[in-house]
Amino acid sequence: MLKSVVRAAVGAAVRLSGATASSSVLAAPLRCTMLCAPSSATARPFTRSLWMLSNSGASSGYRPKLFSSKVITHSVSCGCGGLHTEGDKAFGDFLTDEIKEEKKIQKTKSLPKMSGGWELEMNGTEAKLVRFVSGDKVTVTFNINNSVPPNFGEESEQGQQKPAEEEPEIVSTPNFVVEVVKQGSKHSLVFDCNFPEDEISHGEGEEESDIFAIREASFQPEGDADWKETSYTLNTDSLDWALYDHLMDFLADRGIDNTFADELMELSTAMEHQEYIKFLESLQNFVKCN
């Protein structure tokens, strides 16, 4: 297009000012096309605000666009040299209110204690529980990341938000690994466990069903942090129920039972909520450049 304009200008001996005016007219639609593209962002409901925001964004397929129709405006001058916009200010104000609300519903600032003599060690979002039972060392490890299952009801699917008092309580149900080490043994028996959505029952007439399940079992070199894929792994999906029950009894004799699983969920939920509040506070400081 530009070459045709130049040829037309030379052939017709158009004045320089006229050529400048025509080229600006031709360039205007290009700028409008690039800068005025409609934004694909859509309003999303807030239940646990940022948590649901991230899930909704992932499921909706939304991706931030390079160009937007919104004009970026600097709202605050800061010594950090970073960008500050009116949107950042609104975001910071929202986070302030969100942190206050989360602290209001926080049950306790201290983590609940596990019964049975378990010692707790924490490293960020990972927790380790250690207990000794008649010479056996039992270690349980879990990570709170991605431990809160999504809970989308019919109203959420239709874009309707429930009142706060009707929202289901957020519970962390992490997968956890149990490692049993016997004295003098070079290998440890390791169980990969989880909390299934439905309670598991292995037979009729049982008064109480198990609230956690064994997914896999394997012998691993004692002291190794990584699960070796070269070691045989027993998958319980097609396992005989009698053998499965004996494995569950083996864990129960070492303190891994329904009581332990209930307390682990309480501990994990408290940890997850603490880390969520810390994340909001870090996000607020980052946005406000504190």
Side-chain angles (χ1 to χ4, degrees):
M1 180 181 291
L2 183 59
K3 290 182 179 180
S4 63
V5 172
V6 173
R7 286 197 299 266
V10 173
V14 180
R15 290 179 301 172
L16 179 60
S17 60
T20 303
S22 62
S23 62
S24 63
V25 172
L26 291 172
L30 290 177
R31 291 195 297 270
C32 183
T33 302
M34 296 173 64
L35 298 179
C36 301
S39 174
S40 62
T42 55
R44 293 183 293 275
F46 290 83
T47 43
R48 187 191 173 172
S49 301
L50 292 179
W51 184 276
M52 302 304 293
L53 177 83
S54 63
N55 282 287
S56 299
S59 61
S60 64
Y62 168 72
R63 295 292 184 273
K65 290 190 175 296
L66 182 61
F67 297 103
S68 173
S69 58
K70 295 181 179 180
V71 179
I72 298 176
T73 57
H74 295 265
S75 60
V76 180
S77 178
C78 176
C80 72
L83 176 66
H84 297 281
T85 69
E86 293 294 337
D88 292 346
K89 183 178 183 302
F91 192 11
D93 293 340
F94 164 78
L95 289 172
T96 299
D97 296 336
E98 180 70 8
I99 292 170
K100 289 181 181 179
E101 291 301 319
E102 290 296 329
K103 287 185 175 180
K104 283 182 182 179
I105 64 176
Q106 189 176 18
K107 294 181 178 180
T108 176
K109 293 184 179 180
S110 60
L111 297 176
K113 300 292 184 180
M114 297 284 294
S115 63
W118 293 95
E119 296 181 3
L120 174 64
E121 301 176 12
M122 293 183 56
N123 181 20
T125 59
E126 185 176 85
K128 178 188 293 186
L129 297 166
V130 182
R131 180 191 186 195
F132 290 90
V133 183
S134 299
D136 286 3
K137 180 182 179 182
V138 184
T139 304
V140 178
T141 57
F142 64 92
N143 196 307
I144 62 171
N145 282 334
N146 303 315
S147 63
V148 178
N151 189 356
F152 300 113
E154 293 181 359
E155 292 183 355
S156 298
E157 293 177 357
Q158 297 174 1
Q160 300 178 2
Q161 185 177 358
K162 294 181 180 180
E165 59 273 10
E166 296 182 10
E167 287 293 336
E169 184 179 358
I170 294 177
V171 178
S172 172
T173 56
N175 298 341
F176 60 96
V177 175
V178 182
E179 180 184 13
V180 180
V181 181
K182 289 186 173 293
Q183 290 181 348
S185 176
K186 296 181 180 179
H187 293 81
S188 58
L189 182 56
V190 183
F191 299 88
D192 182 9
C193 305
N194 73 328
F195 292 95
E197 294 183 2
D198 300 325
E199 292 183 352
I200 298 176
S201 178
H202 303 317
E204 297 181 359
E206 290 186 352
E207 295 181 357
E208 184 181 16
S209 60
D210 299 313
I211 63 175
F212 73 97
I214 300 173
R215 298 193 303 179
E216 296 177 338
S218 176
F219 282 104
Q220 298 290 328
E222 197 275 327
D224 283 7
D226 297 329
W227 188 293
K228 291 187 178 300
E229 297 297 336
T230 54
S231 299
Y232 177 77
T233 299
L234 177 68
N235 191 297
T236 61
D237 288 342
S238 57
L239 192 64
D240 177 78
W241 282 121
L243 176 55
Y244 183 88
D245 285 337
H246 280 297
L247 292 174
M248 292 293 289
D249 291 341
F250 179 87
L251 290 179
D253 291 340
R254 286 152 182 82
I256 312 297
D257 53 14
N258 277 355
T259 300
F260 171 85
D262 275 328
E263 293 180 356
L264 187 144
M265 283 193 295
E266 293 179 7
L267 173 62
S268 180
T269 300
M271 287 177 55
E272 197 278 336
H273 198 192
Q274 279 189 1
E275 292 299 320
Y276 177 68
I277 293 175
K278 289 179 182 178
F279 175 82
L280 293 182
E281 291 173 339
S282 298
L283 183 60
Q284 181 188 46
N285 291 334
F286 186 83
V287 171
K288 289 187 174 183
C289 196
N290 291 339

